Amino acid sequence: MFFPVDKTETIDVTGYTCVLPTVSIGNVGQLSIDLIISTLKCELIGSIFHRAVVPLFGKNAFDKQSKRPTTAIDVYVSKNHKLLILQIRTALVKRHQGEFVDSLYSWLNDVKIANVLVLSSVDAVERHDRAISEPDQIYFYEGLSENKIDREEIQRLSGKEFKMHYSLREQTDVDDFFPGSGYLPALIDKTKQLNSTFVSLFLYCLEGDNRPQGTMMTSFVLDLLAIKKENGNKYRTKCPHSWAILDDKLDSALSMF
């Protein structure tokens, strides 16, 4: 599943927090991961390949001069902040999502990851009335109550707990509560079977330019994980050069491929 950049080097990530996105509506999770990697100058250590993952091969998203390509799932580390970061750029084939989660958690257990934080977004068209009155509210959902990420700190940062109240709705399927969130429902179902834990952060959004939401999510994550510079100051988020194609002319955008 995991293929390291340097097969001769072993990177110890014992006790690290793994942060990863779901490929969801508006791409908020992916945008946030891009910002985290760029801001913290994370190191690429490998890629993940699985039959559930739609292949991708393109220019390097973070270094203009690099000849190393971007793939569907690239793996980065921030040794200073004990982060293992997965950037997932393509959707997972639905019939293989459960198998992917199995393989992912097997690997995360092997490398002794302490916490898993999943960044996502949900279709704003499907949100309930209360959520409509709270624009850009970050919600959190705990895969199991035994997770090690401090829920009180999430709430102190104004994160709001999301609960699935089956008795109050017609829906009984997890997918119905997280429309547009990619493989998040599969992750919830599978981790219950595996007795594994994670915390998901998400917000409601629509398709379009969601860079502000991605920046908001990034700031929330950095505050939640108490990630600061060595002098104690907060990081100022740094956009990767690949984001420039969103503002360039079409011919510049096509030059990426």
Side-chain angles (χ1 to χ4, degrees):
M1 183 179 186
F2 173 70
F3 294 83
V5 169
D6 185 351
K7 295 182 179 179
T8 65
E9 181 183 7
T10 301
I11 297 178
D12 184 6
V13 294
T14 301
Y16 279 32
T17 294
C18 177
V19 187
L20 69 158
T22 69
V23 181
S24 52
I25 186 167
N27 307 112
V28 174
Q30 293 165 291
L31 291 169
S32 180
I33 292 292
D34 265 357
L35 282 176
I36 293 172
I37 292 170
S38 185
T39 300
L40 302 183
K41 299 180 180 178
C42 298
E43 173 190 356
L44 176 68
I45 62 169
S47 300
I48 287 177
F49 297 94
H50 191 278
R51 68 174 182 172
V53 181
V54 177
L56 177 144
F57 189 88
K59 276 192 172 183
N60 193 291
F62 301 100
D63 184 355
K64 286 184 179 181
Q65 308 305 320
S66 176
K67 294 183 179 180
R68 187 174 298 279
T70 289
T71 67
I73 304 182
D74 288 327
V75 183
Y76 297 81
V77 294
S78 172
K79 297 176 183 176
N80 290 339
H81 304 293
K82 294 188 175 182
L83 293 179
L84 178 73
I85 301 171
L86 276 61
Q87 176 58 295
I88 304 177
R89 297 194 182 276
T90 62
L92 302 182
V93 178
K94 191 170 182 64
R95 67 178 181 275
H96 298 312
Q97 287 179 354
E99 179 187 338
F100 174 81
V101 175
D102 271 338
S103 299
L104 176 64
Y105 267 84
S106 176
W107 176 61
L108 293 178
N109 288 332
D110 286 345
V111 298
K112 298 180 174 58
I113 286 295
N115 309 308
V116 178
L117 184 63
V118 180
L119 310 182
S120 188
S121 46
V122 177
D123 193 346
V125 174
E126 302 291 338
R127 60 187 169 181
H128 50 76
D129 291 345
R130 185 179 299 175
I132 292 175
S133 65
E134 299 170 340
D136 290 339
Q137 170 69 54
I138 290 182
Y139 291 85
F140 72 96
Y141 177 83
E142 296 177 291
L144 287 175
S145 59
E146 294 84 3
N147 75 77
K148 299 177 183 178
I149 294 177
D150 190 347
R151 61 182 287 128
E152 291 185 0
E153 182 64 12
I154 297 176
Q155 292 171 325
R156 188 188 71 78
L157 294 170
S158 300
K160 188 171 183 177
E161 184 174 10
F162 180 87
K163 296 182 179 180
M164 292 184 284
H165 297 291
Y166 291 101
S167 60
L168 300 180
R169 304 181 54 157
E170 295 180 0
Q171 294 97 324
T172 58
D173 195 320
V174 174
D175 293 68
D176 295 327
F177 291 95
F178 302 97
S181 65
Y183 71 93
L184 182 57
L187 182 67
I188 292 171
D189 284 337
K190 202 65 182 178
T191 50
K192 287 180 180 177
Q193 297 174 28
L194 297 172
N195 197 33
S196 298
T197 183
F198 74 96
V199 173
S200 176
L201 301 176
F202 69 89
L203 48 75
Y204 289 95
C205 73
L206 298 170
E207 291 290 6
D209 184 356
N210 287 295
R211 283 177 289 180
Q213 286 76 15
T215 302
M216 176 184 176
M217 180 70 79
T218 300
S219 297
F220 192 95
V221 170
L222 296 182
D223 286 344
L224 174 62
L225 300 180
I227 294 175
K228 296 181 179 180
K229 295 180 179 180
E230 291 183 358
N231 60 10
N233 292 334
K234 290 186 177 182
Y235 279 96
R236 183 176 180 178
T237 53
K238 178 183 177 182
C239 297
H241 83 87
S242 58
W243 282 25
I245 68 171
L246 295 173
D247 300 314
D248 282 353
K249 295 180 179 178
L250 182 60
D251 56 350
S252 298
L254 292 177
S255 70
M256 287 284 291
F257 303 98

